[in-house]
Amino acid sequence: MNSIYSFTLQELKKELTKNNIKAFVAEQIFDWIYSKHVDSFDEMKNISKENIEKLKQLFSFENMVVDKLQVDKHDGTVKFLLKLEDGNFIETVIMKFNYGYSVCVTSQIGCNMACKFCASGLIRKKRNITVGEFIKQFIIAKEYVEKNFNDKLTHMVVMGIGEPFDNFENLIQFFEVIKQQKGLCISPRKITVSTCGLVEKIKEFADLKNQVNLAISLHAPNNEIRNKIMPINKVYSLDKVIEAMDYYIKVTKRRVTIEYILIKDVNDSDENAVELAKLLKGKLCYVNLIPYNKVVENNYFRSVRGKQFFDVLKKNNIQATIRLERGSSIDAACGQLRIKKILELRNAKV
Ligand code: SAH
């Protein structure tokens, strides 16, 4: 059965008429699921009993429940551990910024990219997140912000566990659904998707011109360092990633975010900053310097050279920001909460 969340309004109208249900019912369904956050057909009071029975035969709802919820008292970051229908766990995080609330969604269960510094990569990819599961993460966060903060969820980043461009089709359909729906209605310009640098997909994404922003996890100014910390660099080397980025900028005219985690004695020297500045000189991009969140399973540590690194970039005319830390008291680093849960379950079985 198809998830009701996997259709755009136009697609659902078509699907309904094919099954002898009037197209306007799609609008009613959308109002219930996206504005009123209802998750069963039985609750849709203005739809006839006969149609409700038909709809139940045709479409399913995502069965996703909140297993654990953590709130960081200092900055209001909210982290959900969500249990999926098949028993898998994912993480979804709400963050408050001066421009509003933003949600960070998960794109895969586990990740195959195996970046050495990242907790998510410790557990291999099991499967992709479906369109319905993407949407449901968004709805859970949206409902939480509206109920608990009396505010709107306006921004989204696809920076949770997984490599979004390794789940390309579902990701793109997710954007299509989310940008059109009355109740959801989030502007593509307020969405950012982050990739470790899958070159063909960056180009394909550019060609879509869907106005969604692109962030690239660079984390190194040269192949030597990048090879050490990001195995994917052996497939798509730095020069190819930069070439794909140039293509994206040329086609979309949108500014790219370069993510750069500062890891002690790995990529944080002044020379590294100068080299990075040379690499990015004159390009429509800015560097987001990210404080490293310690992962207990590896030997990397947070750099204390953030301000110096930032200053060298500035001196070399590269725009940069230092990312504010979020949720440090609630296992904020990618995948940490999920790994805890998996270990908890494993230990419980022993
Ligand atoms: N696979 C995608 C998106 C998920 S990771 C990508 O690589 O971009 C989102 C961001 O968090 C990436 O920039 C990633 O490198 C970074 N990240 C992973 N582990 C981290 C950690 N322990 N501390 C800080 N940032 C981390």
Side-chain angles (χ1 to χ4, degrees), residues 16-263:
L16 293 188
T17 30
K18 241 188 352 199
N19 288 284
N20 298 320
I21 302 174
K22 295 246 164 25
F24 75 85
V25 174
E27 310 232 4
Q28 294 175 321
I29 295 175
F30 270 71
D31 189 42
W32 283 111
I33 59 183
Y34 294 126
S35 299
K36 302 194 177 80
H37 309 132
V38 152
D39 59 6
S40 82
F41 288 116
D42 285 324
E43 292 171 76
M44 302 183 181
K45 304 270 185 285
N46 55 357
I47 300 179
S48 74
K49 286 238 155 59
E50 191 197 337
N51 277 342
I52 285 182
E53 286 317 308
K54 275 198 204 165
L55 290 167
K56 280 188 192 170
Q57 302 303 317
L58 293 168
F59 308 106
S60 62
F61 281 88
E62 245 62 45
N63 184 0
M64 196 187 269
V65 291
V66 179
D67 185 80
K68 200 170 179 182
L69 190 145
Q70 290 184 316
V71 181
D72 187 309
K73 297 247 160 40
H74 308 293
D75 60 21
T77 299
V78 181
K79 188 154 186 166
F80 299 91
L81 183 70
L82 302 172
K83 188 171 184 186
L84 310 184
E85 204 159 343
D86 62 2
N88 279 305
F89 290 93
I90 58 167
E91 297 176 6
T92 305
V93 184
I94 302 170
M95 293 160 290
K96 186 174 195 257
F97 294 97
N98 49 14
Y99 50 76
Y101 285 95
S102 178
V103 62
C104 174
V105 297
T106 285
S107 61
Q108 296 181 313
I109 297 175
C111 184
N112 277 349
M113 301 302 133
C115 298
K116 294 279 195 292
F117 48 78
C118 178
S120 307
L122 290 170
I123 295 168
R124 306 287 285 178
K125 176 176 100 176
K126 279 200 193 163
R127 68 168 173 85
N128 283 327
I129 288 294
T130 64
V131 180
E133 287 165 342
F134 268 127
I135 293 280
K136 191 70 190 189
Q137 292 181 68
F138 189 86
I139 293 177
I140 287 174
K142 174 178 181 277
E143 199 177 2
Y144 189 93
V145 171
E146 288 171 8
K147 268 196 189 153
N148 295 277
F149 303 137
N150 200 17
D151 211 329
K152 281 194 172 141
L153 181 65
T154 50
H155 290 68
M156 177 169 73
V157 292
V158 189
M159 292 189 187
I161 298 168
E163 168 48 47
F165 281 181
D166 186 35
N167 182 11
F168 198 73
E169 238 175 81
N170 290 349
L171 179 82
I172 299 307
Q173 175 68 359
F174 169 44
F175 292 154
E176 284 307 302
V177 176
I178 214 165
K179 76 177 191 210
Q180 294 178 17
Q181 312 324 355
K182 268 195 259 164
L184 291 172
C185 199
I186 171 169
S187 155
R189 274 168 261 118
K190 293 183 175 166
I191 302 176
T192 302
V193 57
S194 173
T195 179
C196 63
L198 306 189
V199 163
E200 287 98 3
K201 294 296 170 196
I202 293 178
K203 291 181 181 167
E204 220 177 296
F205 183 65
D207 289 335
L208 292 172
K209 293 193 194 159
N210 64 5
Q211 295 194 308
V212 171
N213 300 299
L214 177 70
I216 299 178
S217 295
L218 213 64
H219 305 326
N222 59 44
N223 280 318
E224 195 193 335
I225 299 178
R226 204 163 190 263
N227 279 338
K228 278 191 199 145
I229 56 177
M230 299 178 73
I232 191 67
N233 198 63
K234 292 184 183 140
V235 185
Y236 301 110
S237 60
L238 200 59
D239 37 313
K240 290 194 187 121
V241 175
I242 296 293
E243 187 206 309
M245 172 177 123
D246 287 340
Y247 181 82
Y248 173 90
I249 294 170
K250 193 176 101 198
V251 172
T252 66
K253 317 260 185 306
R254 302 191 74 78
R255 185 170 72 150
V256 173
T257 304
I258 297 293
E259 294 166 279
Y260 196 102
I261 306 175
L262 288 163
I263 309 174

Side-chain angles (χ1 to χ4, degrees), residues 210-331:
N210 64 5
Q211 295 194 308
V212 171
N213 300 299
L214 177 70
I216 299 178
S217 295
L218 213 64
H219 305 326
N222 59 44
N223 280 318
E224 195 193 335
I225 299 178
R226 204 163 190 263
N227 279 338
K228 278 191 199 145
I229 56 177
M230 299 178 73
I232 191 67
N233 198 63
K234 292 184 183 140
V235 185
Y236 301 110
S237 60
L238 200 59
D239 37 313
K240 290 194 187 121
V241 175
I242 296 293
E243 187 206 309
M245 172 177 123
D246 287 340
Y247 181 82
Y248 173 90
I249 294 170
K250 193 176 101 198
V251 172
T252 66
K253 317 260 185 306
R254 302 191 74 78
R255 185 170 72 150
V256 173
T257 304
I258 297 293
E259 294 166 279
Y260 196 102
I261 306 175
L262 288 163
I263 309 174
K264 186 170 183 274
D265 298 334
V266 173
N267 63 359
D268 65 339
S269 70
D270 284 354
E271 294 76 52
N272 296 152
V274 170
E275 200 174 359
L276 182 66
K278 271 194 195 132
L279 190 69
L280 301 177
K281 197 173 172 217
K283 299 189 191 294
L284 184 61
C285 69
Y286 83 98
V287 179
N288 193 1
L289 296 171
I290 308 172
Y292 182 57
N293 274 316
K294 181 74 195 114
V295 173
V296 284
E297 291 85 355
N298 69 35
N299 257 335
Y300 293 112
F301 297 92
R302 175 175 293 191
S303 167
V304 289
R305 303 197 72 261
K307 180 72 175 73
Q308 284 101 306
F309 200 93
F310 174 86
D311 287 341
V312 176
L313 290 180
K314 281 274 158 188
K315 221 168 47 198
N316 286 278
N317 296 318
I318 297 293
Q319 280 191 41
T321 51
I322 302 186
R323 184 182 288 178
L324 281 177
E325 238 197 305
R326 297 269 152 200
S328 49
S329 70
I330 55 167
D331 302 313

